[in-house]
Amino acid sequence: MKTIIVDVRTPDEYDMDGHAKCSVNYPLDRIENYVDTLRDFDQIVLVCRSGNRANIAKSILAQHGLTNVENKGEWQNIHCN
């Protein structure tokens, strides 16, 4: 299964506040720019600071037909292998 972990915080938050090493930074305000890229994955896991922006991103992606999306809440919930 091909999974991507997407952190939807701002680039500054991603760089300065820490992030899961196995995540990519697709900021919420630009998430629609990545829809075609995200279609290549079997599972999309979203994280942010608290889960709120990840939930908004999940809704946006659903509007584009992406239903294989999970909100994991805080980025600290991700443990890279």
Side-chain angles (χ1 to χ4, degrees):
M1 178 181 272
K2 193 173 173 186
T3 301
I4 186 169
I5 299 166
V6 180
D7 190 318
V8 298
R9 294 177 297 152
T10 66
D12 283 346
E13 288 174 293
Y14 185 82
D15 290 338
M16 296 185 179
D17 295 341
H19 59 270
K21 299 295 182 197
C22 54
S23 68
V24 297
N25 183 220
Y26 295 172
L28 176 60
D29 64 351
R30 292 183 276 188
I31 195 74
E32 289 182 285
N33 297 342
Y34 298 98
V35 168
D36 288 338
T37 300
L38 294 171
R39 290 189 196 284
D40 293 336
F41 292 88
D42 300 313
Q43 182 179 20
I44 302 162
V45 176
L46 301 174
V47 295
C48 60
R49 188 182 64 199
S50 68
N52 186 46
R53 284 177 279 182
N55 200 46
I56 294 167
K58 183 177 179 180
S59 295
I60 292 168
L61 295 177
Q63 292 171 6
H64 289 277
L66 294 168
T67 58
N68 54 336
V69 183
E70 179 182 2
N71 176 354
K72 280 290 226 185
E74 300 175 2
W75 69 267
Q76 294 95 330
N77 292 334
I78 298 300
H79 304 285
C80 304
N81 295 336

